[in-house]
Amino acid sequence: QVQLVQSGSELKKPGASVKVSCKASGYILTSYVMSWVRQVPGQGLEWMGWINTKTGNPTYAQGFTGRFVFSLDTSASTAYLQISSLKAEDTAVYYCARLPNVVVTALHFDLWGQGSLVTVSS
Amino acid sequence: QSVLTQPPSVSAASGQKVTISCSGSSSNIGNNYVSWYQQLPGTAPKLLIYDTDKRPSGIPDRFSGSKSGTSATLGITGLQTGDEADYFCGAWDRSLGAGVFGTGTKVSVL
């Protein structure tokens, strides 16, 4: 079954770090670009950027540079999102989402992980 | 802050039709394809429409997409209670060099 399975919910204190995993199954991770999308509870979707799973080269959207890092473990078919120096405003559900092609003018996400809730609270 | 604007909510009776608008600019909708996603309560978004008017395998033809100028529209016919969800549009924005999503629309079945 083709799916993306993400790691579970995390509760972190301000200033800590978190690493969210996204395991691809049913297809080869390196065949598709992977994006990350943030959703603050009760709000809309924000595109965070993507990682080229063939080269490991990440691209970050404005507002997601510096503290956010996309990475891969291709041997484990897994993509990662790490957030450092966590702030309360980082509290959100983070989704990994697969891009079926690399044509940006036709950007769309055909497969989504179930989401990982990261809560930042003292 | 979302670049694409959608109405906060739309509603209709079971079996009726609703349309959801997504307003953008020449930087996004006007010159790029549009996608639409359905997010049922407590679940991840699901692709409904891509390349403005194409449906992925498994998506019923009750769902349709179209575009005119800098606005796109999602149509849902034969509305069912299972269609109650949040719907988001999405596109590439060439000025921002980023993917952008709409503000989201909650569909209610009366």
Side-chain angles (χ1 to χ4, degrees):
Chain A
Q1 183 182 0
V2 176
Q3 59 182 348
L4 296 171
V5 179
Q6 297 185 225
S7 48
S9 299
E10 300 264 13
L11 174 60
K12 295 291 185 179
K13 293 190 184 305
S17 294
V18 69
K19 194 170 188 177
V20 175
S21 67
C22 169
K23 183 174 176 59
S25 62
Y27 78 96
I28 299 172
L29 177 73
T30 53
S31 295
Y32 299 86
V33 173
M34 189 73 78
S35 253
W36 290 91
V37 177
R38 182 171 78 178
Q39 185 172 37
V40 172
Q43 296 189 23
L45 304 171
E46 293 178 90
W47 182 72
M48 300 174 66
W50 60 41
I51 183 165
N52 183 320
T53 55
K54 284 185 169 55
T55 64
N57 183 44
T59 297
Y60 301 99
Q62 198 170 14
F64 296 100
T65 56
R67 298 188 300 116
F68 299 83
V69 176
F70 306 150
S71 62
L72 303 168
D73 180 347
T74 55
S75 66
S77 297
T78 301
Y80 298 95
L81 164 66
Q82 183 162 0
I83 311 171
S84 58
S85 302
L86 283 163
K87 307 173 183 179
E89 50 263 44
D90 294 324
T91 295
V93 176
Y94 292 86
Y95 294 100
C96 55
R98 188 180 79 171
L99 279 73
N101 63 54
V102 293
V103 180
V104 293
T105 56
L107 182 73
H108 62 278
F109 312 98
D110 70 338
L111 183 67
W112 293 67
Q114 84 276 19
S116 299
L117 173 62
V118 174
T119 303
V120 184
S121 174
S122 54
Chain B
Q1 191 151 351
S2 297
V3 172
L4 306 180
T5 303
Q6 301 178 230
S9 64
V10 297
S11 60
S14 179
Q16 297 302 302
K17 175 180 179 178
V18 294
T19 59
I20 302 170
S21 61
C22 174
S23 179
S25 70
S26 59
S27 294
N28 40 67
I29 293 176
N31 284 284
N32 295 308
Y33 290 104
V34 179
S35 55
W36 288 92
Y37 305 87
Q38 176 193 60
Q39 187 173 33
L40 296 169
T43 70
K46 172 185 174 182
L47 180 64
L48 279 184
I49 298 288
Y50 68 99
D51 290 358
T52 302
D53 58 7
K54 296 183 174 59
R55 284 176 286 105
S57 173
I59 301 300
D61 58 8
R62 299 188 299 108
F63 296 92
S64 64
S66 63
K67 184 177 87 166
S68 178
T70 58
S71 291
T73 301
L74 174 71
I76 310 174
T77 59
L79 202 60
Q80 302 174 1
T81 54
D83 297 332
E84 289 197 319
D86 292 322
Y87 292 81
F88 295 92
C89 56
W92 179 257
D93 189 295
R94 63 181 183 184
S95 293
L96 295 174
V100 292
F101 290 100
T103 48
T105 298
K106 185 175 186 63
V107 170
S108 299
V109 181
L110 302 174

